[in-house]
Amino acid sequence: MILAEKITMLRKKNGWSQEDLAMKLDISRQSVSKWESTASIPDLDKVIKLSQIFGVSTDYLLKDEMEETEGTVTDSFHEEKSAARKVSLEEANEYMNLTVRESVKIAAAVFACIISPVLLILLGGYSEYGPVQISENAAGGIGVIVLLLIVAGAVSVFIVSGMKLSPYEFLEKECIALEYGIAGIVEKKKENFEPVYRKCVVAGTLLCIVSCIPLFVAAAFDAPDMVYLYCVSFLLFIVAVGVFLFVWSGSIWGSYQKLLEEGDYSVEKKTENKKNRRLAQVYWCTVTAVYLGISLYTMKWGITWIIWVCAGVFYAAVCGIAAMIRRE
């Protein structure tokens, strides 16, 4: 039970309205309403007054896992780790709200990038198979221009959204310490969003799978070439919708995990990633040198690119070996 729920439960247990509690604390009713709706949390002096009024300890009010016990005021607050970066309620709320706003824009930009070749594909088909009469040069020129405009718009969205979210990059890399009550608020938001996240993952996966069906149907009935182009365009659109759901829901879900330091953003993962940064610098510089050396010596640039594919796969093995060595 989080702080907001405890205040609501104790207030109702005493038969008080929000106005009654506000009068006892000498504050406005709106302040009590914000506390109970998790829009804000009370200051420590107000927490002490609440503990006196309700006849419970401050530990009970502040610790999400504690059950209600009768007692007097105590000054036993959690001391945050000195090495961890503290995150206030205002920072946490601003980050979550910003992520909700920007996740839609980023997902839409990814959607646009995926469907950007559709017009080029269709115009190319029209120039060769009809029914619209258009020259091959005109089809290619118009299609490429539209593709570049869409990609340019999407990239601008990525840059602007990235700049807005850049002040919160420390959530991915540094250990953090949330102020009292924030963890409960974030956990509640995450719990409410979880059904939506699961539905988006399932729907996105199904859309990506079924997107190929029209192509197989066209192949089964030996459809004309233009039908294949329509099927490819449909495939790109359906995949774009699925990826939109992945990006949108994943961004919001990731913001909760970052604040709670769960999953890929746990303290252990952050520590491991920090140790791997120097390894990555040495590894990729070495791979680049090998690639350039072999390519310049053989002059077979069309083949040597495979070094990057092999290096990417091997890098995961290198990180795994490094982790085992550290544990030993």
Side-chain angles (χ1 to χ4, degrees), residues 129-283:
Y129 308 111
V132 179
Q133 296 299 321
I134 185 173
S135 67
E136 185 177 348
N137 290 337
I142 294 172
V144 170
I145 289 172
V146 172
L147 184 149
L148 292 176
L149 288 175
I150 293 175
V151 172
V155 170
S156 66
V157 171
F158 293 145
I159 294 173
V160 173
S161 296
M163 292 174 65
K164 290 180 180 178
L165 291 168
S166 60
Y168 302 98
E169 287 181 352
F170 70 91
L171 294 173
E172 302 179 19
K173 302 175 182 178
E174 301 178 22
C175 295
I176 61 173
L178 301 177
E179 291 184 354
Y180 288 123
I182 299 178
I185 294 173
V186 177
E187 192 65 50
K188 191 72 173 178
K189 288 179 178 290
K190 178 186 172 187
E191 182 181 336
N192 292 335
F193 185 74
E194 186 172 4
V196 178
Y197 173 70
R198 295 191 181 205
K199 289 177 183 177
C200 287
V201 172
V202 172
T205 303
L206 291 177
L207 286 173
C208 290
I209 293 173
V210 303
S211 63
C212 300
I213 292 178
L215 272 176
F216 294 127
V217 173
F221 290 95
D222 196 19
D225 292 336
M226 196 60 204
V227 173
Y228 282 99
L229 297 181
Y230 285 129
C231 291
V232 170
S233 301
F234 178 78
L235 181 149
L236 290 175
F237 180 80
I238 295 300
V239 169
V241 173
V243 173
F244 177 93
L245 296 176
F246 286 141
V247 175
W248 173 72
S249 61
S251 298
I252 297 175
W253 184 259
S255 68
Y256 300 142
Q257 287 192 315
K258 290 175 187 177
L259 289 170
L260 296 173
E261 293 188 300
E262 296 177 346
D264 292 335
Y265 307 102
S266 64
V267 176
E268 293 78 11
K269 286 283 187 180
K270 290 179 181 178
T271 304
E272 185 175 339
N273 291 337
K274 188 179 293 185
K275 293 177 179 178
N276 285 338
R277 282 177 202 157
R278 291 183 181 178
L279 173 63
Q281 291 173 349
V282 175
Y283 180 84

Side-chain angles (χ1 to χ4, degrees), residues 281-297 301 307-308:
Q281 291 173 349
V282 175
Y283 180 84
W284 290 112
C285 286
T286 304
V287 170
T288 303
V290 171
Y291 168 72
L292 292 175
I294 295 176
S295 299
L296 290 171
Y297 180 75
W301 299 86
I307 291 175
W308 293 107

